Every structure is written in C-alpha cells, then in structure tokens.
Amino acid sequence: VLDATNWAYENNIQLLTHSNGEGATDMLLAAIESATEQYGAGDRRTVLIHGQFLREDQVDSLKRLNIFPSLFPMHTFYWGDWHRDHTVGPALVDDISPTGWVRQRGMMFGSHHDAPVAFPDSMRVLDATVTRRSRSGDIIGPAQRVDVMTGIKAMTIWPAWQHFEEDKKGSIEVGKLADFVILSGDPTAIDPEAIDTLKVTTTIKEDRPIYQQ
C-alpha cells in the first residue's frame, strides 16, 4: 500500500482506492499522509471509495488530507439490517458511509451504487442517501442523512469534480455538455420517502435523446 501510494503521488497520478473497514482505512490514510509529506498535496483529488465503516476521526483525516470520499449509502438499504443484526451491531451500523459527518465538515462527496453488486438505479441511490431506510423500514444512521439537494449534488456536480470534469459535466450551464435526465417528478418537492418511486422518463446525451420511456 505504501509503495503503490508513493508511486502514484510521485508520478502525480490520481489515486482511487477501495477501503471498507477501519483498519484498511487507517492503513490507506497513513500511506497518503506519508506520500503527501514527500511529494506535496497538489490537486490530485485522491478518492476513497466506499468508506463503509469510518470513524469520525478518520473523516477528519479525509478533510485534512484533501481526500474525496466516494461513499455507498445505498448499502444501508440493501445490507443495513444484516450489519445491524449480524456484523457490527446497532451502534456502529449507524456510521455506514457517514455522509452527515462529511457535510458537517463542509466536504463534497460522491454517492454510488457499485453495480453489479447492486442495480444501477439512480433514484434508489438518491433515496438511500436522503432517507437511509433499510429494507425492513429501519433508519440506519438518522444523523447521517442529508437533504435532497445535497444527495443530487453527490450524484452530479461533485463526482464531476472528482473526475476533473467539472468544467463540462455535472450541472446544466452554457458551455457544458448537454447531459441530463428528465424525471417523472420533482425530487425536491415530493415526500422524501417517495423518491424511490421516481422514474427516468428521458435521457439526453450531448443534446440528443438516447432513451425515452
């Protein structure tokens, strides 16, 4: 881990790394801190993917080391009940993909679906990021929930920044690619508990419709 991280930083290559458990994240953070001391922070936009079980002090380190967390809050829907009952217990399960802690520190984050592990359903991603409701109906980490607009940014303009594409993607602005979708309803206006019922009715790619319901 140390060698790979040093190599990426020495050659100014963006590092995107899966890290799930606390121990793995401690190892990754130590490697990134060491590489940063040797080669400087720069604008590498280093990414931690998943961050399934992060401690709050580790989130502090993400901010200090300029690491972009690409989190997986949809995990709370599919496997939140299982983690609560069989792996980490009811206290630690609330900290799965801790988007609330991230936003408290003014950080950007991405929210993804990890296909083919879970279906690439963008409204399910948004629903889980906002409500964190599990399949049993439990709320996994109420303090980690975010508002709808934050959830939308975590699927659009913030991941565009993560990939150095904020000048051409992520928001609807003059001069950017006309990539967007039309939904069956307004996610900012409906009951957040109904977000997962919304459908993509039209997909526009570079100003051309490529899908219509």
Side-chain angles (χ1 to χ4, degrees), residues 3 18 37 71 80 105 126 149 158-159 169 173 185 200 206 211:
D3 288 347
H18 284 74
E37 289 173 356
L71 301 176
R105 289 155 177 78
L126 181 60
M149 189 53 67
W158 291 344
K169 293 182 180 180
E173 298 179 60
V200 174
E206 296 181 14
Y211 167 78

Side-chain angles (χ1 to χ4, degrees), residues 18 35 43 70 81 88 132 150 159 170 192 200:
H18 284 74
D43 185 23
S70 178
D81 297 323
V88 299
R132 295 178 68 96
T150 296
V200 174

Side-chain angles (χ1 to χ4, degrees), residues 92-168:
L92 292 180
V93 76
D94 281 354
D95 302 337
I96 288 176
S97 291
T99 50
W101 287 344
V102 168
R103 288 305 297 150
Q104 286 171 16
R105 289 155 177 78
M107 300 165 61
M108 297 183 291
F109 69 93
S111 183
H112 59 260
H113 52 67
D114 202 32
V117 174
F119 292 121
D121 183 339
S122 57
M123 292 301 100
R124 174 63 68 193
V125 174
L126 181 60
D127 167 77
T129 307
V130 172
T131 71
R132 295 178 68 96
R133 194 170 292 282
S134 71
R135 286 191 282 184
S136 74
D138 193 9
I139 296 176
I140 307 296
Q144 303 294 356
R145 291 179 293 183
V146 298
D147 62 87
V148 174
M149 189 53 67
T150 296
I152 291 172
K153 289 179 179 179
M155 297 167 64
T156 55
I157 195 165
W158 291 344
W161 183 90
Q162 167 195 334
H163 289 292
F164 294 87
E165 295 181 330
E166 70 274 18
D167 61 334
K168 57 187 177 184

Side-chain angles (χ1 to χ4, degrees), residues 11 16 44 76 108 126 137 150 155 203 210:
N11 291 282
L16 301 94
R44 292 181 178 84
T76 59
M108 297 183 291
L126 181 60
T150 296
M155 297 167 64
T203 300
I210 62 171

Side-chain angles (χ1 to χ4, degrees), residues 4-17 28 32 41-49 66-70 158-166:
T5 305
N6 281 335
W7 176 84
Y9 271 62
E10 182 180 10
N11 291 282
N12 200 32
I13 291 172
Q14 186 185 29
L15 191 68
L16 301 94
T17 307
L28 179 63
I32 291 172
D43 185 23
R44 292 181 178 84
R45 305 187 188 181
T46 300
V47 179
L48 181 149
I49 302 169
N66 299 313
I67 299 171
F68 181 95
S70 178
W158 291 344
W161 183 90
Q162 167 195 334
H163 289 292
F164 294 87
E165 295 181 330
E166 70 274 18

